[in-house]
Amino acid sequence: MALSGMRGLSVFISDIRNCQNKEQERLRVDKELGNIRTRFKNEKGLTPYEKKKYVWKMLYIFMLGYDVDFGHMEAVSLISAPKYPEKQVGYIVTSCLLNENHDFLRLAINTVRNDIIGRNETFQCLALTLVGNIGGREFAESLAPDVQRLLISSSCRPLVRKKAGLCLLRLFRKNPDVVNVDGWSDRMAQLLDERDLGVLTSSMSLLVALVSNNHEAYWNCLPKCVKILERLARNQDVPQEYTYYGIPSPWLQVKTMRALQYFPTVEDPNTRRSLFEVLQRILMGTDVVKNVNKNNASHAVLFEALALVMHLDAEKEMMSQCVALLGKFIAVREPNIRYLGLENMTRMLMVTDVQDIIKRHQPQIITSLKDPDISIRRRALDLLYGMCDVSNAKDIVEELLQYLSTAEFAMREELSLKIAILAEKFAPDLSWYVDVILQLIDKAGEFVSDDIWFRVVQFVTNNEDLQPYAALKAKEYLDKPAIHETMVRVSAYILGEYSHLLSRRPGCSPKEIFSVIHEKLPAVSTSTIPILLSTYAKILMHTLPADPELQNQIWAIFRKYESCIDVEIQQRAVEYLELSKKGAVLMDVLAEMPKFPERQSALIKKAEDSEADTAEQSAIKLRAQQQQPSNALVVTDQRPANGSPPVSQLGLVKIPSVSNVHEQDHNSVDQGITQANGTLTVVDPQPPSAPSPDLLGDLLGTMAIEGHPGDVQGEKNLASGVKGDSNVEEALALAPVEEQTNTVQPIGDITERFQALCLKDSGVLYEDPYIQIGIKGEWRVHQGRLVLFLGNKNTSPLTSVQAIILPPSHLKMELSLVPETIPPRAQVQCPLEVVNLRPSRDVAVLDFSYKFGTHMVNVKLRLPAVLNKFLQPIPVSAEEFFPQWRSLSGPPLKLQEVVRGVRPMLLAEMANLFNSFRLMVCPGLDPNANNLVASTTFYSESTRAMLCLIRIETDPADRTQLRMTVASGDPTLTFELKEFIKEQLVALPTAAPRPATQVPPPQPQPASQPTAKSDPGALLAGLL
């Protein structure tokens, strides 16, 4: 744009460029915007020159990134100016500042139409450019016929017709129902006879849009497209200005081949022969040269030709030629070309009869796994995964296992899943499959999903010949001094079921098997302990009564965990101890697992299913969920009046066998236990309407109520209900309560409770004289499951109970409906499913209300589904840390900030605090002893597994400040994690924080509160 002659604009641009910092620039922009606003108010005194100058300034300010919320009318009014300079600025600024739905555009429709149908070609081009950029429905309704006439007019210059073609393309794409193209087949065929390549290129773009919508009406254009390709391939009558680095109009070639791919086939033999001759010429004439621009243009044509060859299902000879050409590309030094070669070779796998040809390049593809560029490594992984079959599965899986040790964290989860799927689909024998999966868990246990080892268990259980071999391999891995927890799980399970098959082998006696498993117990998490307890019970079953010493050792472990705070561990310990005293009963209950029913692999199904559901599928799922009963569990406190002994001191009358649970057939062996009149009975709950996704749900356990050893778990009843949609939830969230000001005051500080739950997974979220709301969470990668425990502390029911989740945009949350009434001294469990979509610090809110007598209580509570819940600590070595740290060179992937106002603390105390944030402190990486380096992995649907690195630099002279550097591969994640850590550090209380595993003691009851004979607050806090 020519800005000469406008001195004020030139001076303003110079002032902006001379600003020393962003603040000076903002002040100068604000001053100028104020001046422009004042001048526009006195518009009567403005000359066309001044108005043009101020509008140009507005555009420049907008291009700098500032909001310009006025002056739009002045810009639109310049469109109707009679002179070109004013009309030009009007069109340009309107195109930049307004969108297609802006109301001011309606004022300009008539002016734009007059310019289009006028005789001034310059004005026609300006108007067509405006409509082609921001033309909406009203423009399409008013101007489409005029634009169509310009396109097919023989009296218009090619420049105008070219812009008319692009303008019509915009209008048709945005409003295909408004633009009338019926009967345009012959006109499009005429346009394809154009000699001017500019008009021909814009017409071809329009044809691509038309045939993508309805190819049946444009069959007569297919021979014309082939002739255009022939003309370009032979460089016939192609002007020099349309030749790019010696390639005749590569853009037109690409568009033409794209249009041909919308036709299902080429039926005419002469046309088909001519087309394949052109494609053969393109394949033969493309090579890698030193000029990057020429490479880009020629490869754009080549890869579109490859796509057309695959679409037309060409002869095997041409397919072989394509694969050979791509084989040359994946071996060149230029990374972009290697990437394109691998990507297109992967696409060619979809074509039959080329897999054997691609296998010839397997060594080069494997070499690409070691490429410095992660995108090339990903494409090589996809290609190896696609080309694998029975003949080469062993070689490819072995290479992938070797690569797994050096692969970056961002790829390990995907790589692990693909190795598992290949091993299952193409295993020559099941023993090889077991070897591969155990190696996979050994090398990358942190990135191996539970579905993988569940599948191994299913294969071993269903194949008797495989059981001794699998048990022996599990024993070998357990003999290692350090293995991943997932390996402990699968090995313990297999040995629990089949270690008796190894009893005659040296070093495999029951006592030795127990000893090697028990060595791993101190290092595992609470979710693994139930599996180990089940294994001990199985070992005990096979040795009773031959080894009293081993029996006493196992009994001592069961007694130790009888008082564990985790309900799953406590229940198993109590039940296994009592069962083991019954002798034959233990043999019946812990019988060997039956065979699993044959069904499609969950891993293969996961790979085949599309990640995004269609709207129809989502609606079907929603309707299905609304028809399912609620998962809320009502637990009634029924303490016996005669002071009966606790569960651990009683024999169980009846218990279901933990072996009778198949994959996805049962949720858990969690049973309701009711104690009445001194008799203990086990009540089976009704089976849930939806199957569990876990193969070994009974071994992993489900969320349940945790109690003191002497407490008795009440009966569990399924409370039915339907799930409300979001509109209903929003309406309920805004509905007024009877009393806006709560007369009932909470017990304890709600903010402190929330902050404590941000660092641990269970505790009390809210408590008042009538109700206690506890929470317990389980988190796995980007998904979580919270259970809300709503406990009525009184002898009267709570009525009008409502619980509504108000989730932020980055969380997908589904809550089981709460019964409207909570019985006296009862507790309701409400499962809440959480899916993290992207990184954010926004917090979900629980809008909870209930009525007790005349008191209506409504509270809004923040839920601890916060950013650090989706972190998984991960250790990194110096060899892994420093390349990642250096690759994230600066903003926005690496951010640094000095944090002031931090509570002074020792370095060890700060390390413990970071561990509670789920950040693993890595000692020895920073040479400065006053600094900390931490690492973690963040999980969400958008980022998947994303490695995060943190460095904290402290000043021994001033512990109230520190410098923090956070780095990750996602800019949003880096910023959100930095702000989260800063907020946590600044919000620290003056006293040291409680450990993450500590459960806060129950709050004392106020004197004015209604009380029962026993302290309900203490009871419900114990349940948490």
Side-chain angles (χ1 to χ4, degrees), residues 758-760 868 911-919 996:
C758 289
L759 304 183
K760 59 184 182 179
N868 64 312
N912 291 334
L913 178 66
F914 273 51
N915 287 332
S916 69
F917 295 161
R918 304 190 184 214
L919 308 174

Side-chain angles (χ1 to χ4, degrees), residues 410-426:
M411 289 183 61
R412 288 190 183 182
E413 184 173 2
E414 177 188 3
L415 184 57
S416 301
L417 179 62
K418 289 186 173 179
I419 291 174
I421 293 173
L422 293 180
E424 180 178 337
K425 289 176 67 176
F426 305 114

Side-chain angles (χ1 to χ4, degrees), residues 279-517:
L279 294 176
Q280 183 77 22
R281 184 187 293 268
I282 293 174
L283 295 177
M284 295 294 292
T286 305
D287 205 350
V288 179
V289 297
K290 292 184 178 181
N291 190 296
V292 176
N293 292 328
K294 183 172 183 179
N295 275 338
N296 290 340
S298 62
H299 292 157
V301 176
L302 171 66
F303 292 127
E304 201 63 48
L306 290 174
L308 183 55
V309 168
M310 289 185 278
H311 172 74
L312 297 175
D313 195 16
E315 291 78 5
K316 188 170 184 179
E317 182 180 352
M318 181 170 283
M319 291 293 186
S320 303
Q321 185 179 350
C322 293
V323 174
L325 187 59
L326 293 174
K328 290 170 55 180
F329 282 4
I330 65 175
V332 301
R333 297 181 58 183
E334 174 61 38
N336 290 333
I337 299 176
R338 289 203 305 277
Y339 177 91
L340 292 171
L342 290 168
E343 182 183 43
N344 280 272
M345 200 173 278
T346 305
R347 292 174 61 190
M348 292 207 68
L349 281 172
M350 296 182 295
V351 181
T352 56
D353 299 332
V354 297
Q355 192 164 0
D356 292 338
I357 307 172
I358 294 178
K359 285 181 186 178
R360 302 171 189 170
H361 304 279
Q362 182 173 314
Q364 184 60 47
I365 299 170
I366 292 174
T367 303
S368 299
L369 280 176
K370 304 177 179 63
D371 196 277
D373 191 330
I374 185 174
S375 59
I376 293 179
R377 295 196 295 272
R378 286 187 181 278
R379 296 290 77 76
L381 174 60
D382 291 341
L383 180 53
L384 285 172
Y385 177 76
M387 63 186 287
C388 186
D389 58 19
V390 178
S391 65
N392 59 0
K394 278 192 173 183
D395 295 336
I396 289 180
V397 170
E398 182 180 348
E399 290 291 343
L400 294 181
L401 282 171
Q402 292 181 5
Y403 173 58
L404 187 61
S405 303
T406 58
E408 53 277 279
F409 300 113
M411 289 183 61
R412 288 190 183 182
E413 184 173 2
E414 177 188 3
L415 184 57
S416 301
L417 179 62
K418 289 186 173 179
I419 291 174
I421 293 173
L422 293 180
E424 180 178 337
K425 289 176 67 176
F426 305 114
D429 56 78
L430 290 178
S431 60
W432 178 82
Y433 170 74
V434 172
D435 286 341
V436 169
I437 301 302
L438 293 182
Q439 287 184 59
L440 177 62
I441 297 174
D442 187 45
K443 291 176 178 288
E446 190 69 33
F447 301 91
V448 176
S449 66
D450 286 343
D451 290 331
I452 294 176
W453 76 270
F454 290 173
R455 191 64 172 165
V456 175
V457 168
Q458 182 178 359
F459 274 115
V460 174
T461 303
N462 288 4
N463 295 272
E464 294 183 4
D465 297 340
L466 191 61
Q467 292 165 2
Y469 179 80
L472 184 61
K473 296 297 293 186
K475 171 68 167 53
E476 291 176 2
Y477 278 101
L478 280 179
D479 286 334
K480 291 186 175 183
I483 58 175
H484 191 270
E485 186 170 345
T486 304
M487 181 64 77
V488 176
R489 292 182 182 185
V490 65
S491 299
Y493 177 84
I494 292 175
L495 288 174
E497 292 290 333
Y498 310 113
S499 60
H500 62 281
L501 303 177
L502 306 178
S503 57
R504 297 182 180 180
R505 292 178 179 267
C508 294
S509 67
K511 184 177 292 186
E512 290 170 314
I513 294 290
F514 166 76
S515 176
V516 74
I517 296 176

Side-chain angles (χ1 to χ4, degrees), residues 566-610:
D566 187 281
V567 66
E568 182 70 20
I569 297 174
Q570 182 191 90
Q571 181 176 347
R572 288 175 188 266
V574 170
E575 292 174 354
Y576 290 152
L577 180 62
E578 295 300 322
L579 284 170
S580 62
K581 295 177 182 179
K582 303 296 182 182
V585 176
L586 183 66
M587 299 290 291
D588 293 336
V589 173
L590 297 182
E592 188 173 304
M593 284 285 287
K595 291 186 178 182
F596 292 90
E598 293 298 330
R599 62 183 65 195
Q600 182 184 8
S601 167
L603 298 177
I604 298 177
K605 188 174 186 301
K606 182 188 296 185
E608 292 175 351
D609 287 348
S610 174

Side-chain angles (χ1 to χ4, degrees), residues 22 67 427 498 550 745 748 810 946 1003:
K22 191 69 177 176
D67 290 333
Y498 310 113
L550 178 60
Q745 296 301 317
H810 76 284
M946 182 65 68
Q1003 298 292 336

Side-chain angles (χ1 to χ4, degrees), residues 776-965:
K776 183 175 181 181
E778 288 183 346
W779 307 94
R780 175 174 176 78
V781 293
H782 67 285
Q783 297 177 333
R785 187 174 191 265
L786 294 172
V787 176
L788 301 177
F789 299 89
L790 312 177
N792 184 354
K793 298 164 55 175
N794 298 275
T795 55
S796 300
L798 301 180
T799 59
S800 302
V801 179
Q802 286 188 352
I804 301 171
I805 299 296
L806 307 176
S809 60
H810 76 284
L811 293 179
K812 185 165 60 177
M813 310 180 83
E814 292 185 7
L815 174 68
S816 248
L817 287 186
V818 181
E820 291 188 3
T821 301
I822 301 180
R825 296 185 56 75
Q827 189 181 65
V828 174
Q829 295 185 36
C830 301
L832 172 62
E833 304 295 335
V834 183
V835 178
N836 186 27
L837 304 178
R838 57 185 177 277
S840 175
R841 287 171 294 126
D842 295 339
V843 181
V845 174
L846 169 66
D847 188 351
F848 184 79
S849 61
Y850 70 93
K851 189 175 182 180
F852 181 82
T854 59
H855 296 287
M856 187 68 189
V857 182
N858 178 241
V859 291
K860 290 183 173 59
L861 305 169
R862 291 179 294 171
L863 292 174
V866 289
L867 183 94
N868 64 312
K869 300 296 185 182
F870 305 103
L871 298 178
Q872 185 65 42
I874 181 170
V876 294
S877 62
E879 292 77 11
E880 296 171 322
F881 176 85
F882 290 107
Q884 294 280 352
W885 186 260
R886 285 191 292 266
S887 66
L888 304 170
S889 56
L893 299 181
K894 181 186 287 185
L895 300 177
Q896 190 175 85
E897 183 175 347
V898 175
V899 182
R900 296 180 173 85
V902 180
R903 178 176 65 81
M905 66 182 82
L906 298 176
L907 209 61
E909 186 181 357
M910 184 178 292
N912 291 334
L913 178 66
F914 273 51
N915 287 332
S916 69
F917 295 161
R918 304 190 184 214
L919 308 174
M920 177 167 285
V921 175
C922 306
L925 289 185
D926 197 309
N928 190 335
N930 295 313
N931 298 345
L932 286 179
V933 172
S935 60
T936 189
T937 304
F938 175 79
Y939 292 92
S940 70
E941 278 196 355
S942 61
T943 62
R944 297 297 178 187
M946 182 65 68
L947 179 66
C948 308
L949 305 174
I950 302 96
R951 186 185 186 207
I952 303 294
E953 302 168 82
T954 65
D955 184 0
D958 185 2
R959 291 288 186 180
T960 64
Q961 66 176 2
L962 53 85
R963 184 166 69 176
M964 175 173 58
T965 308

